Amino acid sequence: MADGRRAATTRERWCQVHQLLDAGVGLLDCSRRLNLVLNTVKRYDRHTEPGLMVRAPGYRPTLVDPYREHLRRRRAENPAVPITHLLHEIKQMGYPGSANLLVRHINQGRVEADRAALSPRKATGLLLADPARQRVLHDQLAAACPEMTSCPPW
């Protein structure tokens, strides 16, 4: 199972559900005691170990895949390289797809580490919901997008 807060929570909940179920507690009562939705408790019950519950995102192959290493290398060199430049480079290498497909591929985080990128909605939610993390998140966003700090506020 992967490391991280989500994985730790999954392991902890899986253990709680299985402890209650092993003690003879029913699924519905288990969901009430743990304040979880019944379908969630059923999902934990179906798995024999918590490591089986983590799923990697399954992506279908795309036209961008053959150019992934080039994109990864270019974005490592310069994280703020414009997508139009990347599109032009891979078009010269034979990429037959559209700019829209490239943008979606990059926004899904499939170039860097095959993980979902931080969406604007998620970033806004984090900024508004957790004031303690605002500075850290702001620094991460500024590192990813230097233009964010170069413009004066409205």
Side-chain angles (χ1 to χ4, degrees), residues 53-102:
M53 296 192 69
V54 176
R55 297 184 308 221
Y59 294 117
R60 292 183 179 155
T62 68
L63 296 173
V64 181
D65 287 340
Y67 310 96
R68 182 181 285 180
E69 283 307 314
H70 174 76
L71 295 170
R72 195 173 277 157
R73 186 173 54 256
R74 287 287 284 128
R75 297 206 16 130
E77 292 169 3
N78 180 9
V81 64
I83 290 179
T84 55
H85 290 188
L86 294 174
L87 178 64
H88 180 70
E89 290 173 11
I90 63 174
K91 282 275 191 187
Q92 288 181 338
M93 297 168 68
Y95 172 66
S98 66
N100 187 28
L101 179 62
L102 178 62

Side-chain angles (χ1 to χ4, degrees), residues 41-63:
V41 173
K42 288 178 181 179
R43 191 173 68 244
Y44 282 108
D45 180 40
R46 281 193 303 266
H47 292 90
T48 56
E49 58 185 65
L52 300 174
M53 296 192 69
V54 176
R55 297 184 308 221
Y59 294 117
R60 292 183 179 155
T62 68
L63 296 173

Side-chain angles (χ1 to χ4, degrees), residues 22-35:
D22 291 344
V25 176
L27 291 171
L28 185 59
D29 195 27
C30 185
S31 72
R32 288 180 180 152
R33 288 184 189 188
L34 297 174
N35 197 25

Side-chain angles (χ1 to χ4, degrees), residues 1-11 50-51 53-55 115:
M1 177 178 260
D3 293 329
R5 193 166 61 188
R6 178 177 278 173
T9 301
T10 299
R11 280 191 296 270
M53 296 192 69
V54 176
R55 297 184 308 221
R115 60 180 165 72

